[in-house]
Amino acid sequence: MIEPLARPDQSVVIVGAGLAGLRAAEAVREAGFPGRVVLVGEEAHEPYDRPPLSKAVLQEEGHERGIALSPEGALAGLGVELRLGRRAVAIDRKAREVELADGERIAYDRLVLATGSRVRALDILPPGAAGVHYLRGLDDALALRAALKTGGRLAVVGGGVIGMEVAASARALGCECVVIEAGPRLMARAAAPAVSTFLHKRHLAEGVDVRLGVTVAAAEPSASPGAWRLRLSSGETIEAQAVVVGVGVSPNIDLARDCGLEVRPEGVVVDGFGATSDPAVYAAGEVALHLNDLYGRHDRQETWAHAAAHGQHVGEALVSPTQAYRQPPSYWSDQYDINLQVTGLATGDTDVVRGDPALGRFLVFHLAGGRIEGVSAVNAVRELRTAKRLIGACPADLEALADPARELKIEA
Ligand SMILES: Cc1cc2nc3c(=O)[nH]c(=O)nc-3n(C[C@H](O)[C@H](O)[C@H](O)COP(=O)(O)OP(=O)(O)OC[C@H]3O[C@@H](n4cnc5c(N)ncnc54)[C@H](O)[C@@H]3O)c2cc1C
């Protein structure tokens, strides 16, 4: 491992002014680094929170004014130099310099790549085409909100977390909404079957037209501007005034790959302290295929909690590396008045439902090989606090686990 940072003549450059990049910058300072810290972001906005983009920002005019991740002036107070609206285009590892699109070169002793992800695009519904929306950044959310305000029918391609949150927001705004999902159930990657079923029923009850097991075979603009005619693999045709595509993201690994760092399609490979194959270059947050010491394997997470925790961990590791990264994955989603919280694995080889989904409030324990590896909580944040402590336990009595009348106990 490279020597930790300590001197005032040293500098840290962080590329990516999202949650992970911001937390890394703050942590470097909190750990006492006295040198230069530069945070470079290609978006023109100061670091902001993405989760509201598919929820309150779509539903409520002006909500975007309250999503800054850092109070005004706080970064300047920490002595963090912000370069916003500036894209890093190359890394010269020999000279230890980052090059920005406008030609500026910034020298670093340590570089942190916190470049996050970008949306996966469909060729037949290209980003930038009138009436086609992808949702990653604030500007995307504002454009989508403007389109939803005009009403009509919204087609959501992809029944993942973002797609279903957008569907709920569209209904809240009174838009008709159809969801087109290729898989056999909603949110299959992020949620257990019991949770998918619960959410599916609620979306139907809210008037969302959910089509499972179908893809968009062809798409063509309709006569009215921004509207589309989608031909589904089932042969049906859907007319929509606007289309949102939410078919996943891919990590922004280009900078790392182009300068010869070890990357895989799943992300920039880093150790338990965030170091890449070059000990002077680190990666944090959603872009990092990171070693999670809790499981002893590499993983990439697309969640707020991970971006925050990993960004902070990597920032600290630059100055005072103590422990390798150890965090269970976790995320939440809000759809209508439903709050879903997932800690650990989101699905197991056996899922035990505790409580009655029909009552709108339940837990699901996810077991793998007899061990509880994760818990999902639907409108049950309080119960989740106790349930989380059971992660790692091997319950002998699954009936007791499923019965909300019986106490949740950690067995010896
Ligand atoms: C709409 C939406 C809703 C979400 N809702 C939830 C939720 O409810 N719960 C949950 O747990 N998670 C949610 N997430 C996920 C969570 O917000 C992300 O996992 C988190 O923001 C990732 O943070 P990050 O800093 O690693 O990457 P990002 O937030 O992607 O930040 C990376 C930044 O780097 C910039 N960048 C990239 N390349 C360059 C370059 N070459 N030069 C300069 N800058 C560059 C990008 O423009 C971006 O600003 C949501 C995400 C989205 C998009």
Side-chain angles (χ1 to χ4, degrees):
M1 187 185 282
I2 201 163
E3 217 177 291
L5 290 170
R7 299 194 317 269
D9 62 332
Q10 291 179 308
S11 59
V12 177
V13 176
I14 301 165
V15 177
L19 177 59
L22 173 71
R23 290 289 185 262
E26 291 168 343
V28 163
R29 279 291 185 242
E30 276 153 28
F33 175 58
R36 185 177 187 214
V37 180
V38 185
L39 183 56
V40 181
E42 71 179 323
E43 292 183 79
H45 312 286
E46 291 222 359
Y48 62 87
D49 222 7
R50 290 185 202 279
L53 301 184
S54 45
K55 311 170 184 81
V57 171
L58 287 186
Q59 294 173 36
E60 194 190 309
E61 200 87 29
H63 191 91
E64 62 279 11
R65 288 194 283 275
I67 63 170
L69 280 168
S70 172
E72 216 184 315
L75 282 172
L78 286 174
V80 174
E81 293 174 38
L82 266 182
R83 304 285 165 90
L84 296 179
R86 314 279 294 279
R87 181 174 172 74
V89 291
I91 298 164
D92 182 339
R93 291 204 284 132
K94 219 158 147 219
R96 289 198 176 169
E97 285 178 348
V98 178
E99 187 184 330
L100 306 190
D102 56 12
E104 188 189 357
R105 293 174 79 92
I106 314 176
Y108 65 82
D109 291 282
R110 301 290 178 276
L111 174 65
V112 180
L113 299 173
T115 47
S117 304
R118 57 171 167 265
V119 292
R120 245 182 244 146
L122 297 180
D123 291 343
I124 52 171
L125 290 162
V132 174
H133 298 265
Y134 286 78
L135 183 53
R136 182 73 196 174
L138 176 56
D139 299 340
D140 301 332
L142 298 181
L144 177 55
R145 184 172 76 198
L148 294 177
K149 261 173 57 184
T150 64
R153 183 192 286 141
L154 176 73
V156 176
V157 180
V161 179
I162 303 285
M164 298 323 294
E165 289 186 347
V166 169
S169 295
R171 289 302 298 139
L173 292 167
C175 298
E176 269 182 60
C177 183
V178 52
V179 174
I180 300 150
E181 164 57 43
R185 65 183 177 93
L186 296 175
M187 287 173 49
R189 212 161 49 90
V195 176
S196 291
T197 303
F198 173 79
L199 291 170
H200 189 151
K201 282 187 184 156
R202 178 61 184 271
H203 279 283
L204 293 181
E206 295 286 346
V208 178
D209 178 358
V210 179
R211 312 285 178 94
L212 297 178
V214 282
T215 55
V216 180
E220 58 181 39
S222 308
S224 71
W228 285 78
R229 184 175 303 118
L230 308 179
R231 192 164 51 74
L232 305 187
S233 52
S234 58
E236 275 172 284
T237 299
I238 285 176
E239 299 272 348
Q241 274 62 53
V243 182
V244 175
V245 183
V247 294
V249 295
S250 12
N252 287 318
I253 58 173
D254 327 36
L255 275 177
R257 185 199 48 222
D258 294 350
C259 71
L261 295 173
E262 187 188 349
V263 297
R264 297 206 200 125
E266 307 94 289
V268 180
V269 181
V270 300
D271 66 14
F273 295 89
T276 66
S277 50
D278 175 343
V281 184
Y282 287 66
E286 207 170 292
V287 73
L289 183 63
H290 62 281
L291 179 69
N292 190 340
D293 201 37
L294 199 58
Y295 304 108
R297 59 167 187 265
H298 280 80
D299 187 21
R300 192 176 78 83
Q301 286 290 318
E302 297 168 4
T303 66
W304 192 98
H306 168 70
H310 196 239
Q312 180 179 343
H313 185 266
V314 170
E316 283 165 5
L318 295 176
V319 185
S320 99
T322 47
Q323 242 203 338
Y325 187 70
R326 290 174 71 81
Q327 287 286 333
S330 73
Y331 82 94
W332 80 93
S333 175
D334 293 311
Q335 298 168 35
Y336 312 107
D337 57 359
I338 301 166
N339 171 255
L340 166 67
Q341 307 254 355
V342 181
T343 297
L345 296 189
T347 182
D349 55 35
T350 307
D351 287 329
V352 176
V353 178
R354 180 181 171 92
D356 181 1
L359 301 176
R361 183 189 178 96
F362 61 102
L363 295 173
V364 188
F365 288 94
H366 312 300
L367 285 81
R371 224 171 94 107
I372 298 177
E373 296 287 359
V375 192
S376 299
V378 174
N379 289 334
V381 177
R382 205 154 30 89
E383 292 85 341
L384 181 65
R385 255 179 253 143
T386 316
K388 270 200 300 209
R389 286 192 249 137
L390 269 71
I391 291 179
C394 298
D397 186 352
L398 296 189
E399 268 176 37
L401 193 65
D403 184 354
R406 289 161 77 176
E407 201 190 331
L408 277 177
K409 273 199 308 221
I410 301 163
E411 293 159 35

